[in-house]
Amino acid sequence: MTAITGDIERAAGVLRAGGLVALPTETVYGLGANAEDPAAVARIFQVKGRPPSHPLIVHIATADLLDDWVEEVPRAARLLAGHFWPGPLTLVLRRGRRVPLEATGGLETVAVRVPDHPVALALLSAFGGGVTAPSANRFGSVSPTTADHVRAELGDAVDFVLDGGSCQVGVESTIVDVTGGTPCILRPGGVTREDLEAVLGHPVAVPSASGVRVPGQHPSHYAPRARVVLVEPEKVLAEAEAAQEAGRQVGVFLPLHLAATAVKTHAVVAVPASLDAYARGLYGFLRGLDEQGCDLVVASLPVEEGLGLAIANRLRRAAGPRTSV
Ligand code: TXA
Ligand code: MG
């Protein structure tokens, strides 16, 4: 079911009363609170089980409102906001007074974006303020791309779930730091590096897989219950066979043309040839393998161009070292 006008009003009321609303965006579902209400923001961290030092994104209704939330807007930020908003781009800027430190994990910078989803935009304009929203999942796990994912994972911990259907992009926004001289990508996402470079007119740096650590980005993140192992494309099946023989419940990610030939005992995800479709499906695929009882997922990385950069980033993080279990 999709949200209707009455739902939007009700959700805005929940936000005004200091409650939590799960809202659809074009990337993933968010767990929203009034950005200017420190107690409501604190509840987000509690519900997610997320350390309070991890900064949140403030969602606003239009690019015109940006100046209300940040100290200053550098030229590059204005350019990017004008070009990509509403859309899957988050800009990190110097924090305006309006933003409580609870929302920024104590940082003097703030992440802001205008989401490209009619239900999110209707909520933001009905509410009138900014909405801090991390992805609506428990800390470290796979982000939700449907309202059912949110209900399954957070249940009664959320005061209201706005259903806006399946998310069209499927991976989180691209985060660009525009506080320094040259914009740089902190997290690859729905807006590609190539698109950013075309608008800015120069190359844009991306952190290497093992390099720079952004607050709130742990090695193991976006991870299903099953362990994820990444191998060369031609080794996926052999790796899966060996693990299966060792008694594991194995799920494999395979390109469409190989998926049909896979041994029936594996749970198989047929990876779409289009990167748009792959990104849109990625988190649902991982959730699906968990539901099928897999304890190991064997996959390979896509070529890291276009949306492939964000998909590879999420797969690497899903495969990262875990601190528990
Ligand atoms: O697509 C998205 O961005 C989704 C939807 C709901 O908008 N949101 C999302 O939020 O992915 P979250 O909290 O799961 O990830 C936001 C990340 C944090 O992990 C952190 O790394 C980064 O944004 N971040 C937020 N504020 C920052 C800041 N001031 N400086 C650097 N990084 C920041
Ligand atoms: Mg998240």
Side-chain angles (χ1 to χ4, degrees), residues 23-32 44-45 48 50 53-59 87-95 103-105 107-115 131-137 139 143-144 169-177 179 186-187 189-190 213-218 221-222 283 314:
L23 67 148
T25 81
E26 80 283 33
T27 58
V28 300
Y29 273 73
L31 179 61
I44 289 182
F45 289 95
K48 276 191 64 102
R50 170 159 159 156
S53 59
H54 289 218
L56 303 176
I57 296 170
V58 177
H59 297 71
L89 175 72
T90 294
L91 296 174
V92 173
L93 294 144
R94 286 179 53 210
R95 180 178 70 92
T104 69
L107 296 174
E108 285 305 331
T109 54
V110 62
V112 185
R113 88 175 186 102
V114 179
V131 171
T132 39
S135 49
N137 52 282
F139 182 60
S143 300
V169 176
V171 292
E172 296 80 353
S173 60
T174 303
I175 303 180
V176 175
D177 185 344
T179 56
L186 300 182
R187 175 181 74 182
R213 281 280 145 71
V214 177
Q217 296 205 1
H218 276 214
H221 219 94
Y222 313 106
Y283 291 141
R314 303 308 188 269

Side-chain angles (χ1 to χ4, degrees), residues 228-262:
V228 178
V229 173
L230 299 173
V231 297
E232 296 300 316
E234 62 279 7
K235 296 195 179 134
V236 168
L237 277 173
E239 182 79 22
E241 295 301 326
Q244 188 95 23
E245 272 165 33
R248 310 291 296 262
Q249 280 294 114
V250 184
V252 287
F253 272 42
L254 287 173
L256 265 178
H257 67 280
L258 287 180
T261 65

Side-chain angles (χ1 to χ4, degrees), residues 225-227 249-252 267 289-297:
R225 271 197 312 276
R227 297 213 160 257
Q249 280 294 114
V250 184
V252 287
L289 292 179
D290 270 350
E291 275 159 26
Q292 291 177 65
C294 295
D295 55 35
L296 185 77
V297 175

